[in-house]
Amino acid sequence: IPEAGLIHAKDLAKALGGPVAFRPAVLHVGYHVLYRGGHIAGSRYIGPASKPEGLQALRVAVRKLPRTKAVVLYCGCCPWTDCSNTRPAFAAAESTGRTVKILYIAKNLQKDWIDAGLPTESGDR
């Protein structure tokens, strides 16, 4: 994924704190147990993009969003270099003709987002 396709945690947190009309749609493309345990506030669970049903759900979700809505995807299960969900998610979302960003997570969501005190929720919302 090229650098232009990434967004960093502090930049995403800033965007999520901005006016509602300009907040990105944040979609979790990882595992449900991780989402339930703690996820980015306001994000929507899609499912693991390493599975065909997760990729299909992602394509459907992205197509339903307004074309003007920014889209950010994240998993957070493991270090960036090892994640089996982010790269397929990025490719699938881009295949819809949308510009998307992936949240760069160096270690995992716990370390890079939750422990940093960034907006977090738990449960299924």
Side-chain angles (χ1 to χ4, degrees):
I1 298 171
E3 181 66 31
L6 304 178
I7 187 168
H8 295 271
K10 289 185 181 192
D11 295 327
L12 177 56
K14 183 178 177 181
L16 292 174
V20 173
F22 297 106
R23 290 180 190 164
V26 182
L27 307 176
H28 184 265
V29 295
Y31 302 98
H32 194 250
V33 67
L34 295 174
Y35 181 84
R36 199 174 333 117
H39 55 269
I40 295 172
S43 66
R44 179 175 158 208
Y45 177 74
I46 299 299
S50 58
K51 299 181 183 258
E53 57 273 16
L55 287 175
Q56 182 57 28
L58 175 61
R59 286 185 199 99
V60 169
V62 170
R63 284 185 185 120
K64 288 182 178 180
L65 293 169
R67 301 271 313 150
T68 57
K69 187 71 136 170
V71 178
V72 176
L73 310 173
Y74 77 102
C75 177
C77 67
C78 58
W80 174 255
T81 55
D82 299 332
C83 186
S84 62
N85 293 305
T86 53
R87 284 164 186 77
F90 185 78
E94 276 201 325
S95 76
T96 67
R98 300 292 300 268
T99 299
V100 297
K101 299 267 185 183
I102 293 273
L103 176 61
Y104 176 77
I105 297 176
K107 295 187 189 238
N108 60 48
L109 190 68
Q110 181 69 47
K111 296 279 184 199
D112 297 341
W113 186 272
I114 298 170
D115 290 352
L118 298 173
T120 305
E121 297 173 332
S122 60
D124 287 323
R125 289 200 299 127

